[in-house]
Amino acid sequence: MKRIKDKIFGVIGLGRFGYHVAKTLAQGGAEVIACDSDEEKVRRIADLVSMAFVLDATDEKALKESGIANADTVIVSIGENIEASILIVVQLKELGVKEVIAKAANPMHGKILERLGVDRVIYPERDMAIRLAHSLLIGQFIEEIPIGDQFSVFEIRAFEALFGKTLRDLDLRKRFGVSVLAIKRQDSMLVNPSGEEKILEGDILVVLGTTEQLVKLTSQ
Ligand code: ATP
């Protein structure tokens, strides 16, 4: 695996999403080539990334000249102009970019991007909205990693009803259908905790389940 310093990222489209992706990657020590057709957007990012270009990324020649086609991973962050997003993805694939990640404005756009061989299609607004709603629904919510359509691995803060009880006493699998995969305690991580393990105040639980199961678990 390449070290992050040896990896080149391309970011096409510097709206709110693209801007923060490019900036964060650069701050993390990665080499970033960023571009947008809007001069002002390019000016805003220029000092933060390795290279920034004003170009129309649907133009194959301009794409090649910018060096973006040599990047290991290219993030296409164009939502509104679906036609441009599709054209750019096709060019990147033809130019042999190893990994293409693209933002989709809606499910149809996402489906087309998948058909075109995009390695990862992302729906930032939808995903943030779901995450926000989950954090409001599930008491003690810290973090969530979705697994498939229904299940997620949730990180939740242990709460009073659990304190001092063993996992066997709590019988969470039977009562709520959830599995405790790990317990984070201070600096340690108890993976696959046994039934004898007691939940303590301050613990963070790593739990596999559905949103509905977690809502029930945390509202007892
Ligand atoms: P945000 O991330 O702010 O939500 P958005 O999803 O609404 O943005 P757009 O407004 O469609 O995305 O475009 C994002 C950026 O992509 C804009 O800054 C726009 O100038 C740029 N862009 C659009 N088409 C092209 C193109 N053909 N080549 C390069 N940049 C483009």
Side-chain angles (χ1 to χ4, degrees):
M1 204 146 105
K2 273 191 181 180
R3 286 179 312 171
I4 206 70
K5 271 194 200 144
D6 304 326
K7 250 189 122 173
I8 304 174
F9 292 93
V11 179
I12 300 175
L14 299 167
R16 283 161 301 179
F17 188 78
Y19 171 83
H20 286 287
V21 170
K23 183 178 164 188
T24 309
L25 284 169
Q27 283 172 339
E31 184 171 344
V32 178
I33 306 174
C35 75
D36 198 293
S37 50
D38 179 339
E39 207 178 322
E40 183 49 39
K41 299 263 172 65
V42 174
R43 197 173 307 137
R44 225 161 47 114
I45 200 91
D47 290 342
L48 305 173
V49 297
S50 318
M51 278 185 279
F53 298 99
V54 180
L55 61 84
D56 177 354
T58 58
D59 175 352
E60 191 179 348
K61 193 161 159 271
L63 258 190
K64 267 193 198 158
E65 282 171 5
S66 70
I68 285 193
N70 299 325
D72 300 284
T73 301
V74 176
I75 299 112
V76 181
S77 177
I78 298 175
E80 243 151 66
N81 190 343
I82 293 178
E83 192 183 330
S85 153
I86 290 168
L87 282 172
I88 293 164
V89 162
V90 171
Q91 319 253 38
L92 293 171
K93 281 280 154 193
E94 277 182 1
L95 290 168
V97 173
K98 275 182 237 125
E99 187 181 26
V100 178
I101 300 173
K103 181 174 94 163
N106 55 54
M108 187 47 84
H109 183 195
K111 218 177 230 177
I112 295 168
L113 292 172
E114 270 169 27
R115 287 275 169 90
L116 294 173
V118 166
D119 301 277
R120 204 160 128 198
V121 178
I122 46 171
Y123 301 84
E125 293 216 326
R126 182 198 69 180
D127 292 350
M128 267 313 290
I130 292 172
R131 211 182 112 84
L132 171 65
H134 283 177
S135 76
L136 299 171
L137 284 167
I138 300 169
Q140 324 303 334
F141 178 99
I142 299 176
E143 191 53 85
E144 169 179 9
I145 303 166
I147 304 199
D149 280 347
Q150 274 197 314
F151 288 90
S152 286
V153 173
F154 292 93
E155 253 188 37
I156 57 167
R157 250 172 248 103
F159 47 94
E160 208 169 345
L162 309 181
F163 295 162
K165 297 195 177 126
T166 64
L167 287 174
R168 176 163 303 132
D169 295 338
L170 290 166
D171 208 8
L172 301 179
R173 197 169 296 169
K174 209 176 216 167
R175 290 165 59 214
F176 301 98
V178 304
S179 299
V180 177
L181 305 179
I183 301 173
K184 287 188 188 176
R185 183 170 296 160
Q186 284 152 3
D187 292 332
S188 66
M189 178 92 158
L190 306 164
V191 181
N192 274 333
S194 80
E196 304 310 319
E197 204 60 61
K198 260 190 195 159
I199 308 286
L200 306 179
E201 195 169 351
D203 281 354
I204 290 169
L205 310 181
V206 181
V207 183
L208 174 70
T210 65
T211 305
E212 291 74 23
Q213 289 167 339
L214 266 288
V215 170
K216 281 196 188 123
L217 165 69
T218 55
S219 51
Q220 54 176 313

